[in-house]
């Protein structure tokens, strides 16, 4: 997920946070990879500045119409607001959950959120203090569906330098080592 986020043009720090969020969701059997692959498709080619809140002192809204859950989550975690803010429309809100838990926050509309929910308008209520939230970790390891894996892999491949004859020249050793 981290490499896929990087391949989609996400800055390194946000890509790291996206990887943590996906892993957190997967450990709780919440299919973070599914939501994340769909998020990457939805946000592909959109400038980062269009995905972040315009003003963090009022209702959080993104210029493109829907906040990125990763950007909003990192902003929440970085600022630790005295009064929890009110979020507007959030794309794939299940990806926001790991950040809310870390910040001790919750929202009534996110009680039964799934990876299938493409966006949620959270402007009806501000985020609420939740105290300690303990969602159990699943002991089982699950495989990622092939189509999701290929989507994430496709984005990750954008970070690789294409192989050329020049890049292959001199690769490896010219001698054998038979000690």
């Amino acid at each position: 997920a981290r490499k896929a986020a990087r391949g989609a043009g996400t800055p390194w720090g946000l890509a790291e946070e996206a990887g943590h969020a996906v892993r957190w969701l997967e450990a709780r059997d919440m299919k973070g990879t599914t939501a994340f692959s769909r998020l990457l498709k939805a946000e592909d080619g959109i400038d980062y500045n269009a995905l972040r809140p315009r003003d963090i002192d009022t209702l959080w809204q993104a210029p493109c119409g829907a906040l990125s859950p990763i950007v909003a989550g990192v902003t929440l975690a970085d600022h630790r607001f005295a009064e929890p803010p009110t979020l507007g429309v959030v794309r794939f809100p299940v990806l926001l959950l790991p950040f809310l838990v870390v910040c001790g926050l919750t929202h009534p509309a996110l009680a039964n959120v799934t990876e299938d929910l493409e966006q949620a308008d959270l402007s009806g209520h501000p985020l609420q203090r939740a105290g300690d939230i303990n969602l159990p970790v699943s002991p089982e390891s699950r495989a990622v569906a092939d189509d999701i894996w290929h989507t994430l892999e496709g984005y990750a491949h954008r970070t690789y330098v294409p192989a050329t004859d020049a890049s292959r020249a001199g690769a490896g050793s010219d001698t054998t080592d038979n000690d």
Side-chain angles (χ1 to χ4, degrees):
R2 177 181 38 110
K3 284 183 182 180
R6 198 57 201 121
T10 305
W12 273 113
L14 288 176
E16 289 283 339
E17 295 295 341
H20 290 298
V22 170
R23 186 172 54 245
W24 187 94
L25 290 165
E26 285 292 328
R28 286 152 184 86
D29 203 20
M30 298 175 90
K31 298 182 182 169
T33 53
T34 301
F36 190 62
S37 70
R38 294 176 71 205
L39 176 71
L40 289 177
K41 288 178 186 177
E43 292 182 351
D44 197 16
I46 299 176
D47 181 55
Y48 160 77
N49 289 314
L51 300 168
R52 65 183 182 84
R54 281 184 282 215
D55 182 0
I56 61 172
D57 295 324
T58 62
L59 173 67
W60 288 21
Q61 296 176 325
C64 71
L67 293 165
S68 167
I70 306 301
V71 175
V74 168
T75 304
L76 282 169
D78 284 350
H79 286 84
R80 300 293 179 142
F81 297 89
E83 287 298 316
T86 301
L87 305 181
V89 177
V90 177
R91 214 177 246 125
F92 298 98
V94 71
L95 292 164
L96 185 61
L97 290 178
F99 300 101
L100 293 181
V101 169
V102 165
C103 294
L105 298 171
T106 189
H107 192 283
L110 299 178
N112 296 310
V113 70
T114 69
E115 78 278 1
D116 295 329
L117 185 60
E118 289 192 28
Q119 62 184 31
D121 185 355
L122 306 181
S123 62
H125 302 282
L127 294 171
Q128 302 168 355
R129 299 259 179 239
D132 288 336
I133 299 172
N134 188 10
L135 296 174
V137 175
S138 173
E140 296 179 22
S141 177
R142 289 158 307 283
V144 175
D146 285 344
D147 60 328
I148 302 300
W149 181 260
H150 292 302
T151 298
L152 295 177
E153 197 172 51
Y155 282 100
H157 278 254
R158 291 180 180 181
T159 66
Y160 303 153
V161 176
T164 63
D165 288 339
S167 70
R168 288 187 204 101
S173 175
D174 290 338
T175 62
T176 58
D177 185 6
N178 292 333
D179 290 349

